[in-house]
Amino acid sequence: DFARLTTMPVNRETAERVHALATSLLHYSPEPRVIEPLIESAALLGRDDEVAYHLQRFCAAYPKDYARWTKLNRALGPSHSGGSSPP
């Protein structure tokens, strides 16, 4: 499942599948390669509360990865979490 998740594009057609895979893998592998598609798919599905929750945890657990990812995904970054990018 991890290989499938990390190679599957995240878009409107795959959002439900990606979200289900990422959610199940998060318990076993809470790392950026799982968290990022989880957040992206949740955003596509309109799950803003979930996006904000995982953004906050992502920033706290992996600040460098979070900073890198938010530069690539500005639309999903600080505006959803109510804060600003980490220093």
Side-chain angles (χ1 to χ4, degrees):
D1 285 346
F2 184 82
R4 192 169 17 163
L5 176 67
T6 59
T7 59
M8 187 181 302
V10 181
N11 55 49
R12 293 192 189 285
E13 291 81 33
T14 63
E16 286 285 348
R17 284 182 285 159
V18 169
H19 189 269
L21 270 174
T23 299
S24 68
L25 287 170
L26 186 64
H27 300 287
Y28 305 105
S29 187
E31 62 181 87
R33 292 193 302 168
V34 174
I35 298 166
E36 293 167 7
L38 176 62
I39 294 168
E40 293 165 4
S41 62
L44 286 170
L45 296 169
R47 299 177 182 178
D48 292 340
D49 289 344
E50 187 176 341
V51 171
Y53 173 79
H54 288 296
L55 282 173
Q56 183 178 11
R57 292 177 55 108
F58 187 17
C59 181
Y62 301 100
K64 289 180 182 177
D65 290 303
Y66 174 84
R68 172 198 46 80
W69 182 81
T70 54
K71 285 180 184 175
L72 299 173
N73 296 281
R74 291 193 187 276
L76 298 177
S79 64
H80 270 82
S81 63
S84 59
S85 294

